[in-house]
Amino acid sequence: MAQPSSRRSGFSKKQQYSVFTGYLLATLGAVLGLALLALSLWQPAALQPLRGGANDVSATIGEAPATARAGGNNTWDTISAYWQAGSQNADLRREVEVARIRLAEAQAVEAENRRLKALLGLAEENVEPIVYSRLVGSSASSARRFAYLGVGTNAGVGIGMPVHSERGVIGRVLETSRASSRVLLLTDSESVLPVRRASDQTVAFAEGRGDGLLRIRLINLGLNPLEIGDVFVTSGAGGYYRPGVAVAVLSEITSDGGIAQLIAEPSATNYVVVEPVHETLAVEASGVRDGAALSDAGLGEGPVNTPEDASSDGSSGD
Amino acid sequence: MIDRLAPPSQRRAYGSGGINRVTSPWRANIVPYASILIGSLIPFWVMTDVMPLAPPIGFIIFLSWRLMRPGLLPLWVGVPLGAFDDLFSGQPFGSAILLWSITMIGIELVETRFPWRGFWQDWFTAGLIIIVYIFASMFTSGATITPYMIIATVPQLLIAVLIYPLFARMVAWLDRFRLSRSRRIG
């Protein structure tokens, strides 16, 4: 279809001026957008109240899709479980046998730990979660990987607090508003998390690649000791996360570490837990100011300490 | 297109509904904007943790309206609509304001050179604009661009380009709804 003739300005001065004004306003709008973009890349916290207010509303509505999603996951799981019931049953039986043995071993280790801690006079620490919530939304069309929680500062959620599911680490609170908060997921390309191998004290960084996998970068370079299937847990370095929470499983080996897959996938979780920052002192000492100044750029450096710090923390972690 | 001077009253466009019915001005003005705003909201509620998968629905609806009804949306409309999209898309604020405004100006400039269009040409134009838009918003997102990220965008690109005709049909239906004679006079 050709454009209507009314949009051609012709000799009419009025039409010509209105076309010109349209172009002028649109150009000014583009310039305004560029300025705002520069401002929000430079100072991410500057425009946060605006977005926070809007997200409060959409997060409230998002509770309904979140509930539906949980139900949908369950239905699909049930159907696929029927499909492979027989072979799965045999596998599970075998796994349960092994797990029972491992459980007994773990109980022994736990008892020994308790005894040793009592000897050292360490207090048993129990992490009280701040709040339980659902992930109500995500930045599904953006290149960044954010998720949104349906709770905010009125439930005690603060910037920097780790978010866990029942399987492991999901991410970290990046922004809060009254009734919603934005979580930086581990798969975001700006996310860096200090981890260690669960079986020993090999410390590494887990960096998001932006395509759903994590890049495990070893701190002590040299002979790569990793093997496919190694499980990585948080090392507790940096002070945000408590040590020993599952993060990822190694699926591929590279020269300086490997590529790992997430253990706790945010889209498959039902409820998540917001936990308090593990070591507030350590976070303050690392130079990231608590509060609004936690920027995207600061995240890269925030939880990351020097390798010496990380390894010393890792060795005292377990 | 040559318009008739006096179209026959019995077979008017946008529904008959009797001679005392006219298009409701409220409906005619609200429907395009409401559909774009709802489209901006939808990806917020989709849960994707692994890679960007949801097409930028607000932008696609915006594009469909622009291509189907040139002149309906004013040239500066990228500012308010883009600002709303920025609130929910997870992009830094200002990214959609910039890109949507540039889109409006770009289409307007090209359209004066190629006034005649058809379905396939519209799809081609929209597909090209959507691909450029997704890559541009990747650059404005503040993320460190890795080759993996670009590979991970391919499914989103495909979905967004292939879904365009669907949204074009939906917008065509909304346009008929928008102009249907629902207001009773006299």
Side-chain angles (χ1 to χ4, degrees):
Chain A
M1 194 173 84
Q3 52 178 321
S5 55
S6 65
R7 291 176 66 241
R8 291 182 211 128
S9 49
F11 290 109
S12 159
K13 265 277 183 275
K14 194 182 163 211
Q15 277 284 352
Q16 287 172 3
Y17 278 136
S18 80
V19 168
F20 173 71
T21 315
Y23 275 109
L24 189 70
L25 285 176
T27 314
L28 284 178
V31 172
L32 172 76
L34 191 64
L36 283 172
L37 177 65
L39 175 67
S40 42
L41 285 176
W42 175 52
Q43 287 281 336
L47 296 159
Q48 196 272 326
L50 203 65
R51 190 165 44 206
N55 287 341
D56 280 359
V57 179
S58 56
T60 315
I61 306 169
E63 293 285 348
T67 318
R69 190 161 51 233
N73 279 344
N74 290 343
T75 317
W76 182 247
D77 286 349
T78 312
I79 294 169
S80 58
Y82 268 113
W83 192 252
Q84 344 158 320
S87 60
Q88 211 173 35
N89 199 350
D91 285 346
L92 287 176
R93 211 173 282 253
R94 213 171 303 127
E95 267 176 36
V96 165
E97 291 295 318
V98 177
R100 279 211 188 105
I101 300 165
R102 293 280 172 273
L103 184 65
E105 287 172 357
Q107 275 164 351
V109 172
E110 195 186 350
E112 196 186 354
N113 263 342
R114 209 177 301 128
R115 193 175 58 83
L116 291 173
K117 272 184 181 166
L119 274 178
L120 288 170
L122 289 176
E124 195 70 37
E125 48 181 302
N126 240 342
V127 183
E128 278 293 315
I130 301 276
V131 69
Y132 292 88
S133 176
R134 284 181 199 277
L135 293 176
V136 291
S138 75
S139 59
S141 63
S142 170
R144 300 297 301 271
R145 298 269 58 83
F146 298 121
Y148 295 88
L149 283 175
V151 290
T153 45
N154 56 8
V157 178
I159 291 169
M161 290 179 176
V163 180
H164 296 172
S165 78
E166 73 276 11
R167 289 168 67 95
V169 179
I170 296 273
R172 192 147 66 87
V173 175
L174 187 64
E175 284 178 358
T176 53
S177 62
R178 198 164 298 181
S180 71
S181 41
R182 193 146 73 115
V183 179
L184 183 84
L185 299 176
L186 292 184
T187 47
D188 188 89
S189 63
E190 304 295 304
S191 156
V192 181
L193 176 70
V195 292
R196 68 175 175 83
R197 186 153 70 163
S199 51
D200 57 10
Q201 302 301 336
T202 313
V203 283
F205 290 132
E207 304 172 339
R209 289 210 311 183
D211 67 342
L213 299 172
L214 298 178
R215 177 163 166 243
I216 303 288
R217 203 155 48 84
L218 291 172
I219 290 168
N220 299 321
L221 291 175
L223 206 61
N224 187 349
L226 302 182
E227 283 165 22
I228 287 175
D230 282 351
V231 176
F232 285 85
V233 296
T234 51
S235 71
Y240 280 101
Y241 298 87
R242 67 183 156 86
V245 187
V247 175
V249 182
L250 203 76
S251 61
E252 195 182 316
I253 293 175
T254 60
S255 57
D256 65 341
I259 309 298
Q261 285 178 336
L262 283 183
I263 288 180
E265 288 186 351
S267 57
T269 57
N270 208 346
Y271 279 94
V272 294
V273 183
V274 183
E275 288 191 355
V277 174
H278 185 242
E279 294 281 357
T280 323
L281 273 176
V283 172
E284 280 165 10
S286 70
V288 180
R289 277 166 293 166
D290 209 14
L294 187 72
S295 66
D296 286 6
L299 274 172
E301 290 93 49
V304 177
N305 287 359
T306 51
E308 299 83 60
D309 274 351
S311 50
S312 67
D313 201 322
S315 55
S316 65
D318 201 344
Chain B
M1 204 192 302
I2 301 166
D3 288 331
R4 286 195 217 187
L5 276 177
S9 59
Q10 288 305 308
R11 290 186 57 212
R12 297 184 303 180
Y14 309 115
S16 49
I19 56 169
N20 63 341
R21 302 293 176 94
V22 290
T23 300
S24 158
W26 279 93
R27 190 191 274 192
N29 287 319
I30 284 175
V31 166
Y33 298 101
S35 62
I36 295 170
L37 297 184
I38 292 170
S40 289
L41 272 173
I42 290 170
F44 179 90
W45 294 314
V46 179
M47 193 70 209
T48 58
D49 45 348
V50 174
M51 50 185 170
L53 209 58
I57 294 175
F59 182 73
I60 295 177
I61 297 178
F62 163 75
L63 204 60
S64 311
W65 277 109
R66 175 61 191 77
L67 290 180
M68 198 183 66
R69 285 267 171 210
L72 174 70
L73 304 172
L75 206 54
W76 46 265
V77 82
V79 179
L81 292 178
F84 184 84
D85 189 74
D86 273 335
L87 292 178
F88 302 101
S89 67
Q91 295 275 110
F93 194 82
S95 137
I97 299 180
L98 172 70
L99 296 176
W100 291 31
S101 296
I102 292 177
T103 309
M104 279 305 275
I105 299 172
I107 297 178
E108 197 78 15
L109 287 178
V110 173
E111 196 177 52
T112 47
R113 270 85 180 163
F114 303 96
W116 288 91
R117 292 194 266 106
F119 166 72
W120 293 103
Q121 193 185 342
D122 266 1
W123 192 1
F124 175 77
T125 318
L128 206 65
I129 293 173
I130 289 168
I131 291 172
V132 172
Y133 174 77
I134 288 177
F135 276 117
S137 42
M138 191 194 284
F139 278 99
T140 58
S141 72
T144 320
I145 310 287
T146 57
Y148 314 109
M149 201 186 265
I150 292 171
I151 295 168
T153 318
V154 171
Q156 188 197 12
L157 286 176
L158 277 178
I159 292 174
V161 171
L162 291 178
I163 215 171
Y164 172 78
L166 208 67
F167 278 102
R169 293 300 293 195
M170 194 194 77
V171 165
W173 181 84
L174 280 176
D175 192 52
R176 259 178 292 144
F177 171 73
R178 176 178 86 94
L179 294 172
S180 63
R181 295 166 190 280
S182 59
R183 186 160 164 264
R184 199 188 183 98
I185 44 168

